[in-house]
């Protein structure tokens, strides 16, 4: 039996999809220490969890922190990213961060029923190529695509291949490589999680730092130097640089994969 985590932006349809996948096997408990509902159920003989909605892995609220901690510490065998397909670009901001974790990832484009009405077409093959993750289109509320999704879940759990990691600019990537080489990060066993950790160190992510042993002084000095050099290069603070580059990746993937039909508009002579 393996574990699957449903994650995604608030209102992307996670709970509706969870219900469609688990039927009567679902039960509701509580996460330890917080008053957040924990929904767990079964799909294809595996445990599946409905996590609180998040926009980013740099969380603010206790619910968001819970989702991040679960994804990072409990190592689910498969992460299912539930995407409101009518909001692709915004959703991909989280997707690219999930891809950084080096875990198997499956993208579910939900709200299929609304796409035609809104004049949106998504090239799922292209999206799958660009993210290195399987993509399944469903409507959780109408119940379409659920059987295909169940098959895709089974396949992902068998294949266990990691999502493609989006790359930052060459300048940022060079620092990431240097940071990964430090002994401090060798305490983290998995290579891809080291990469994620290096990015968190550049961002000076407090949640991450508080979960790690104290930084050795020389390493801490080196990180401060990296941050100073990044500020000098981009004229922006390191956290903002990372956020900006992530948004640009999300924007580019959405642009590449999404075709929006132009609404019919009468001709206006003055606009020539
Ligand atoms: P969550 O916050 O991610 O758990 O999202 P919910 O499952 O609570 O769904 C948010 C809203 O979207 C609810 O009103 C759902 O009925 C609606 N919804 C979920 N899936 C679909 C879908 O496939 N199509 C449409 N049109 N609405 C959906
Ligand atoms: K909701
Ligand atoms: Mg929900």
């Amino acid at each position: 039996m393996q574990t699957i985590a449903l994650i995604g932006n608030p209102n992307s349809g996670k709970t509706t999809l969870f219900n469609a996948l688990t039927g009567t096997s679902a039960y509701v408990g509580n996460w330890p220490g917080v008053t957040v509902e924990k929904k767990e159920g079964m799909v294809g003989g595996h445990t599946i969890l409905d996590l609180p909605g998040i926009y980013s892995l740099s969380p603010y609220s206790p619910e968001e922190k819970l989702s991040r901690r679960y994804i990072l510490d409990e190592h689910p065998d498969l992460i299912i990213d539930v995407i409101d397909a009518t909001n692709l670009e915004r959703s991909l901001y989280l997707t690219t961060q999930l891809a950084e974790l080096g875990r198997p990832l499956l993208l579910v484009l939900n709200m299929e029923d609304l796409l035609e009405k809104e004049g949106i077409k998504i090239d799922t093959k292209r999206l799958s190529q660009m993210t290195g993750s399987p993509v399944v289109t469903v409507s959780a509320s109408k119940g379409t695509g659920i059987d295909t999704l169940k098959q895709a879940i089974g396949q992902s759990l068998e294949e266990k291949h990691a999502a493609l990691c989006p790359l930052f600019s060459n300048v940022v990537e060079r620092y990431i490589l240097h940071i990964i080489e430090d002994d401090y990060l060798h305490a983290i066993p998995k290579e891809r999680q080291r990469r994620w950790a290096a990015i968190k160190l550049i961002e000076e992510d407090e949640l991450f730092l508080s979960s790690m042993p104290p930084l050795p002084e020389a390493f801490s000095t080196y990180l401060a130097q990296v941050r100073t050099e990044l500020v000098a290069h981009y004229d922006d603070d390191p956290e903002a640089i990372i956020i900006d580059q992530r948004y640009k990746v999300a924007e580019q993937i959405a642009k590449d994969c999404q075709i929006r039909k132009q609404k019919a508009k009468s001709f206006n002579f003055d606009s020539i």
Side-chain angles (χ1 to χ4, degrees), residues 20-31:
L21 287 171
T22 56
T24 54
S25 73
Y27 58 94
V28 181
N30 245 336
W31 292 93

Side-chain angles (χ1 to χ4, degrees), residues 11 14-16 50-51 53:
N11 293 318
K14 294 176 296 301
T15 302
T16 311
D50 180 18
L51 293 174

Side-chain angles (χ1 to χ4, degrees), residues 11-229:
N11 293 318
S12 62
K14 294 176 296 301
T15 302
T16 311
L17 182 63
F18 174 86
N19 292 335
L21 287 171
T22 56
T24 54
S25 73
Y27 58 94
V28 181
N30 245 336
W31 292 93
V34 280
T35 52
V36 180
E37 254 186 13
K38 180 179 183 180
K39 275 194 146 175
E40 221 172 300
M42 299 292 289
V43 60
H46 304 285
T47 304
I48 186 165
L49 266 129
D50 180 18
L51 293 174
I54 51 172
Y55 287 109
S56 143
L57 290 182
S58 301
Y60 297 99
S61 72
E63 290 86 357
E64 290 179 316
K65 284 183 180 159
L66 192 154
S67 288
R68 161 163 145 166
R69 206 175 326 120
Y70 183 85
I71 292 284
L72 287 173
D73 298 347
E74 302 300 323
H75 305 290
D77 298 286
L78 175 64
I79 298 171
I80 298 183
D81 180 14
V82 184
I83 293 171
D84 171 356
T86 66
N87 260 310
L88 185 63
E89 183 180 322
R90 192 187 64 188
S91 314
L92 287 174
Y93 182 66
L94 174 66
T95 309
T96 57
Q97 293 174 67
L98 295 172
E100 276 168 11
L101 301 176
R103 318 240 3 120
L105 183 63
L106 198 164
L107 308 187
V108 172
L109 296 179
N110 188 31
M111 316 262 181
E112 181 181 26
D113 54 299
L114 300 179
L115 286 178
E116 199 174 337
K117 266 179 247 162
E118 302 208 5
I120 303 167
K121 263 199 177 148
I122 297 172
D123 184 343
T124 52
K125 221 182 201 169
R126 182 89 185 112
L127 182 59
S128 178
Q129 283 170 346
M130 292 187 87
T131 56
S133 303
V135 178
V136 180
T137 308
V138 307
S139 168
S141 62
K142 304 257 188 239
T144 56
I146 301 300
D147 287 336
T148 310
L149 174 58
K150 284 182 179 169
Q151 280 172 19
I153 290 172
Q155 203 173 338
S156 289
L157 286 172
E158 240 168 67
E159 289 172 1
K160 294 185 188 310
H161 77 247
L164 271 186
C165 195
L167 294 180
F168 292 95
S169 65
N170 288 336
V171 174
V172 174
E173 286 294 331
R174 223 174 301 128
Y175 288 119
I176 290 174
L177 284 180
H178 283 162
I179 294 169
I180 287 174
E181 282 311 304
D182 196 276
D183 286 343
Y184 180 78
L185 286 191
H186 281 258
I188 297 175
K190 292 215 175 93
E191 201 184 310
R192 277 286 286 279
Q193 296 232 338
R194 283 210 285 275
R195 179 187 158 78
W196 189 83
I199 299 165
K200 292 289 121 186
L201 288 171
I202 290 175
E203 291 178 304
E204 251 183 339
D205 182 290
E206 276 172 32
L207 209 57
F208 172 76
L209 286 168
S210 66
S211 73
M212 293 287 286
L215 296 168
E217 205 178 311
F219 188 45
S220 185
T221 308
Y222 171 67
L223 288 174
Q225 185 196 326
V226 168
R227 293 169 59 83
T228 306
E229 287 175 20

